[in-house]
Amino acid sequence: MSDSVILYTNPMSRGRIVRWLLEEIGQPYQTEWLDYGPQMKSPEYLAINPMGKVPAIRHGNVTVCDTAAILAYLVDAFPQAGLAPAVGARADYYRWMFFAAGSLEAACTNKALGVEVPPEHTKFVGYGSLELVTETLEHAIQQKPFLGGEAFTAADLYIASVLSFNMMFGNIEKRPALVDYVARMTDRDAFRRAAAIDDAAAAAAQK
């Protein structure tokens, strides 16, 4: 599919994660900026994402919503970027992509909202506890340089993005191994390009 990707986003959203991936891919793409509120709930945008949320992408006749799904789609749509292991070697890649979208996001969101799961009920919660999520990540990061395979993958991009945001706002503890991992994963030209675009857009919006 040769059509360029259109990214629907806001500079203060998870669309920053998708932009980073698009910059890693290195192919031309377009950005449609949306404000929170009526613009995201307009009939035109609801036809793209009925949830009225960002990010979303359009690639030719295909639309994809939800961050994890977008990342997985783009990695497979642009395999030349090498952002996932070979299909037969994706066990860790899949594990951490879904860990980011499920356990890590849920645990950090509950922390941000002040949701406390009583210890006797953690067995009913998919992620168990924030402490368990943090310890699991810390242990994995200490075992090897990259979580998703033998080299940097979209799983590392996703985990590092979620960690970075939530450590910034105190939703997950800044343990040395996690801080070091985020620093290593974001020490990339594609990350710096993506961050500069979104930071500039955020600054312009505040004016």
Side-chain angles (χ1 to χ4, degrees):
M1 187 179 296
S2 60
D3 305 79
S4 66
V5 173
I6 301 173
L7 169 62
Y8 299 88
T9 189
N10 181 283
M12 302 302 292
S13 75
R14 289 174 177 83
R16 296 177 73 102
I17 305 173
V18 178
R19 185 183 304 284
W20 179 9
L21 187 76
L22 286 167
E23 290 293 330
E24 293 282 353
I25 288 170
Q27 295 297 313
Y29 67 94
Q30 304 171 49
T31 301
E32 292 286 340
W33 300 103
L34 285 87
D35 294 328
Y36 288 105
Q39 192 175 16
M40 286 190 196
K41 306 302 181 183
S42 68
E44 293 79 12
Y45 187 62
L46 290 175
I48 295 166
N49 184 357
M51 292 282 287
K53 297 174 72 67
V54 292
I57 63 164
R58 176 173 285 167
H59 185 209
N61 295 323
V62 174
T63 58
V64 187
C65 309
D66 294 306
T67 305
I70 295 169
L71 298 182
Y73 172 84
L74 289 173
V75 165
D76 288 342
F78 298 95
Q80 69 274 17
L83 292 167
V87 173
R90 289 192 178 183
D92 287 341
Y93 167 78
Y94 286 133
R95 175 191 178 183
W96 295 110
M97 284 286 281
F98 284 98
F99 186 90
S103 296
L104 182 57
E105 285 265 21
C108 290
T109 297
N110 278 351
K111 171 67 174 178
L113 296 175
V115 176
E116 296 284 348
V117 179
E120 66 272 19
H121 293 316
T122 55
K123 63 184 178 183
F124 297 111
V125 180
Y127 65 82
S129 68
L130 179 59
E131 178 66 18
L132 178 59
V133 167
T134 305
E135 288 180 353
T136 299
L137 260 180
E138 181 182 40
H139 176 75
I141 286 168
Q142 290 172 330
Q143 303 308 304
K144 54 185 180 179
F146 303 100
L147 289 174
E150 297 302 316
F152 179 85
T153 69
D156 294 297
L157 184 154
Y158 195 9
I159 289 281
S161 295
V162 178
L163 275 178
S164 177
F165 178 85
N166 284 286
M167 287 194 299
M168 182 189 310
F169 288 98
N171 299 325
I172 193 166
E173 185 181 349
K174 290 183 178 179
R175 298 188 181 185
L178 304 186
V179 173
D180 175 72
Y181 173 77
V182 169
R184 288 189 293 106
M185 295 307 105
T186 57
D187 187 18
R188 302 176 65 86
D189 289 341
F191 172 80
R192 286 184 278 270
R193 289 194 304 269
I197 293 169
D198 281 311
D199 289 346
Q206 289 177 354
K207 293 179 182 179

